[in-house]
Amino acid sequence: MYQVIMLRDRLLPILLTALTSLLFAGSFIAGKFTTVELSPILTTLLRYLIALVFLSSLLIHYKKSSLLVQKKDVFLLALLGLFGVVGYHFFFFLSLRYTAIANTAIINAFNPVITGIAAALFIRERLTLQNYFGGAIALVGVLALLSKGDIGNLIGLQINRGDGLMLCAVLSWVVYSLLIKVLSQRYSGFTVSFYAAGFGLIWLLLLSLREDWATVARLSPAAIASLGYMGVGASGLGYFLYNLSVKAIGPTRASSSVYSLVPIFVTLLAFAFFRQPMTVLMLFSMSLIILGLHFTLKSRSRG
């Protein structure tokens, strides 16, 4: 019995982080289907409308009291929706029109690195030399991907438009992450996620006034299924599994594991759905970023 419990405790974190990564990776594939038929704004709006309905159904468990917030934090919560929902997803979905799915996933894996550096600069979160070393390694991986292995492309700024848009998505997520670090000290993850989705929808409704809403009525079954998946699977179930991962192995190890596995799952899914090839450069870049994440997200050792 003791050995069974030990095996369960050892396998559970692996299963949780793997399933979370797979759900997040699936949104890259679903987004590729949806953005062919819908604009980035409408894609994001419908995704988070579904997500908000899903989160609202969870109030049975969390109770309405979990939505109480201080007036001084309303503006910060509104910014969460602007950067985390509108900014990140707008640039993310738009990038899928111009670059390979695997590229967006690998660049997205750089999120924890740049967020950690920004946290040290703006909210004075201390990083070790080992963390900075990891950031440098991951940066080399991203630059190798963007330049396609040719430093001349970087000097001449000859990068793929989609890669540049995905970098904008990463920067939006950095702002979102810094706000999360501040707000999570006062509110639960459910409260923050609910308001981020809610305010995000408000911003999106304002931005969608000039969109062609007729395209929604012409959506194919594949696009509708993709929207449902992104709303419930990636933004709903993925959120819960990630929280369980944090509870099981802590935030640093959970974040590192999930972000490391997402590019791998996306590359495999892109090959399965779109037959997009896995090049040596992609594998090399992915390896560098995963190695960088290992050092960047490594917590300070206790003496």
Side-chain angles (χ1 to χ4, degrees):
M1 177 64 73
Y2 176 74
Q3 291 180 335
V4 172
I5 295 175
M6 288 291 292
L7 182 62
R8 181 199 65 186
D9 292 341
R10 202 175 291 172
L11 292 178
L12 184 60
I14 297 174
L15 291 174
L16 285 174
T17 53
L19 286 174
T20 303
S21 301
L22 183 58
L23 285 170
F24 287 169
S27 66
F28 287 77
I29 306 300
K32 195 73 171 179
F33 280 111
T34 310
T35 51
V36 173
E37 304 179 34
L38 279 180
S39 70
I41 290 293
L42 288 180
T43 299
T44 308
L45 189 154
L46 293 176
R47 169 180 178 166
Y48 272 88
L49 179 61
I50 296 170
L52 188 61
V53 170
F54 179 80
L55 289 171
S56 297
S57 70
L58 300 180
L59 286 174
I60 299 174
H61 171 73
Y62 282 98
K63 299 181 181 179
K64 293 182 180 179
S65 59
S66 62
L67 297 182
L68 296 176
V69 297
Q70 301 177 42
K71 289 184 178 180
K72 66 177 183 179
D73 292 325
V74 172
F75 178 68
L76 294 180
L77 290 166
L79 288 181
L80 275 184
L82 180 61
F83 286 97
V85 174
V86 181
Y88 174 78
H89 290 92
F90 171 77
F91 289 120
F92 165 55
F93 287 129
L94 192 58
S95 73
L96 289 174
R97 292 184 172 184
Y98 301 103
T99 193
I101 296 174
N103 281 34
T104 60
I106 295 172
I107 295 171
N108 193 57
F110 192 54
N111 255 319
V113 176
I114 193 169
T115 299
I117 294 173
L121 293 174
F122 296 107
I123 60 175
R124 302 195 176 183
E125 183 180 76
R126 295 183 62 187
L127 298 177
T128 65
L129 289 176
Q130 194 170 214
N131 297 148
Y132 285 112
F133 176 67
I137 293 176
L139 178 61
V140 171
V142 172
L143 293 179
L145 175 68
L146 293 178
S147 66
K148 296 179 173 58
D150 184 357
I151 192 65
N153 288 338
L154 289 179
I155 296 175
L157 297 178
Q158 299 173 8
I159 63 174
N160 182 289
R161 181 191 300 182
D163 296 338
L165 288 168
M166 193 60 205
L167 282 176
C168 290
V170 169
L171 292 176
S172 296
W173 192 260
V174 168
V175 177
Y176 174 80
S177 298
L178 295 183
L179 290 170
I180 284 289
K181 286 179 181 290
V182 174
L183 290 168
S184 62
Q185 296 175 3
R186 299 192 283 274
Y187 306 109
S188 69
F190 172 79
T191 301
V192 173
S193 296
F194 185 91
Y195 278 104
F199 278 113
L201 275 179
I202 294 174
W203 290 114
L204 288 165
L205 284 171
L206 293 174
L207 293 171
S208 66
L209 293 177
R210 300 181 64 180
E211 293 288 321
D212 182 10
W213 280 86
T215 57
V216 177
R218 299 193 297 267
L219 284 177
S220 66
I224 294 173
S226 296
L227 284 169
Y229 171 82
M230 289 188 289
V232 177
S235 299
L237 293 177
Y239 160 80
F240 275 109
L241 289 177
Y242 184 77
N243 278 353
L244 290 175
S245 300
V246 172
K247 183 177 180 181
I249 58 177
T252 298
R253 293 172 64 198
S255 177
S256 179
S257 300
V258 169
Y259 273 98
S260 297
L261 289 172
V262 165
I264 297 173
F265 280 124
V266 169
T267 302
L268 294 174
L269 289 173
F271 175 76
F273 282 88
F274 305 111
R275 289 296 184 265
Q276 290 186 359
M278 290 179 284
T279 66
V280 174
L281 179 60
M282 283 181 182
L283 296 175
F284 174 70
S285 301
M286 189 186 304
S287 300
L288 285 179
I289 292 173
I290 291 174
L291 180 63
L293 285 172
H294 169 72
F295 289 111
T296 302
L297 299 176
K298 196 169 185 179
S299 59
R300 189 185 300 272
S301 60
R302 298 180 181 179

